[in-house]
Amino acid sequence: MLGVFDSGFGGLTILRPIHARLPSLSTIYLGDNARAPYGTRTHEEIFAFAFEGVQELFRRGCPLVIFACNTASAQALRQIQQTELPHEFPDRRVLGVIRPTAEEIVSLSRTGHVGVMATPATVGSNAYLHELNHIRPNLVVTQVACLGLVELIEAGRERSEEADRLVATYCLQLIEREPLVDTVLLGCTHYPLVEPLFRKHLPTAISLVTQGTIVTDKLAEYLVRHPELASRLDQTGTRTYLTTKNNEPLSMRASRFFGSAVTVGHVVIS
Ligand code: DGL
């Protein structure tokens, strides 16, 4: 079973293309909706919560977990990979979304200026800045912390005027700070849920990049490169959805998102 972890709903935007590309791969999705947003939390909190999520997915039989969450990838992944896994879970793996995304977007900009819209904790970590400049040192990266957006999306208010106003403000901030930007990454898995707002408020010449397909393609390549790990993943196509919050509204939302009935189970992690 492949484990897919996010602070809340956002990871569904990664899970959907995974299901489309690898339909027989069994998956368990875990959204820590009760403690979202992660993006305004401290490094210590994000690390602790994300590692609890990983351990829950390990307990449920996942040899491989993807952080479909930029904030957890930026703040917790390296520590989990370097400090926790080697001692406690040497045969398990956790992957993030930042490096695979950086590898893809680095070559997309013609002007050499990219924008990254992300949570305050992702921006604060400078993970995108480091990854992108590691691959293309002269790329100019302008990051905008989109405070408050995940809160609205988690509350089901992605179509509200407030969401529209917030996205307008952040797009303007980006363009004012760096008019040469021609490629903008939605570097939070929640943001594709308000992609039309970003499209509306950014100049049409700017390419908007989301991560679902990028991460899915990189996962498929990873599984080819790691056949031993891939052989430990169940291939019967079962799909399990778990949340740390009240599961009924989440079942409805997830069903709407996938266009078919989805039952989300409740789980307590700590
Ligand atoms: N969706 C997550 C991300 O990709 C985190 C959002 C949050 O909980 O603040 O960054």
Side-chain angles (χ1 to χ4, degrees), residues 97-238:
V97 290
I98 293 184
R99 183 168 300 169
T101 303
E103 283 168 2
E104 273 315 292
I105 64 168
V106 82
S107 55
L108 297 179
S109 173
R110 287 178 312 277
T111 62
H113 291 259
V114 303
V116 176
M117 317 301 273
T119 67
T122 299
V123 170
S125 75
N126 282 326
Y128 272 109
L129 195 66
H130 292 144
E131 289 291 349
L132 288 164
N133 284 150
H134 179 70
I135 309 171
R136 186 173 165 186
N138 56 356
L139 190 73
V140 180
V141 182
T142 306
Q143 306 183 87
V144 176
C146 302
L147 182 68
L149 203 47
V150 168
E151 285 86 334
L152 288 177
I153 296 166
E154 282 289 313
R157 295 174 55 210
E158 59 265 39
R159 295 208 179 90
S160 63
E161 269 181 35
E162 203 180 340
D164 188 67
R165 264 199 311 275
L166 269 188
V167 173
T169 305
Y170 295 133
C171 290
L172 193 65
Q173 247 179 50
L174 174 70
I175 300 308
E176 280 181 355
R177 277 171 55 195
E178 188 43 82
L180 290 177
V181 161
D182 68 350
T183 306
V184 170
L185 170 70
L186 299 188
C188 168
T189 53
H190 282 71
Y191 299 171
L193 298 168
V194 289
E195 187 177 347
L197 298 182
F198 280 99
R199 197 54 287 166
K200 174 178 162 193
H201 293 295
L202 285 170
T204 45
I206 287 183
S207 309
L208 205 53
V209 183
T210 56
Q211 300 174 284
T213 313
I214 296 174
V215 172
T216 299
D217 290 349
K218 295 283 181 183
L219 170 66
E221 287 167 21
Y222 179 88
L223 294 179
V224 170
R225 284 202 315 278
H226 297 85
E228 190 276 325
L229 186 60
S231 70
R232 288 159 57 206
L233 297 173
D234 183 82
Q235 294 284 347
T236 57
T238 62

Side-chain angles (χ1 to χ4, degrees), residues 43 46-47 50-51 67 71-81:
H43 164 77
I46 298 167
F47 170 77
F51 190 42
F67 276 157
T71 308
S73 302
Q75 293 281 350
L77 180 67
R78 183 166 308 182
Q79 202 174 333
I80 289 174
Q81 286 176 332

Side-chain angles (χ1 to χ4, degrees), residues 9 12 33 153-156 158 243-257 262-266:
F9 274 125
L12 297 181
N33 301 73
I153 296 166
E154 282 289 313
E158 59 265 39
T243 176
T244 55
K245 209 175 173 180
N246 181 356
N247 53 328
E248 275 174 30
L250 295 177
S251 298
M252 273 168 58
R253 260 194 104 174
S255 302
R256 229 178 320 154
F257 180 76
V262 166
T263 306
V264 181
H266 180 254

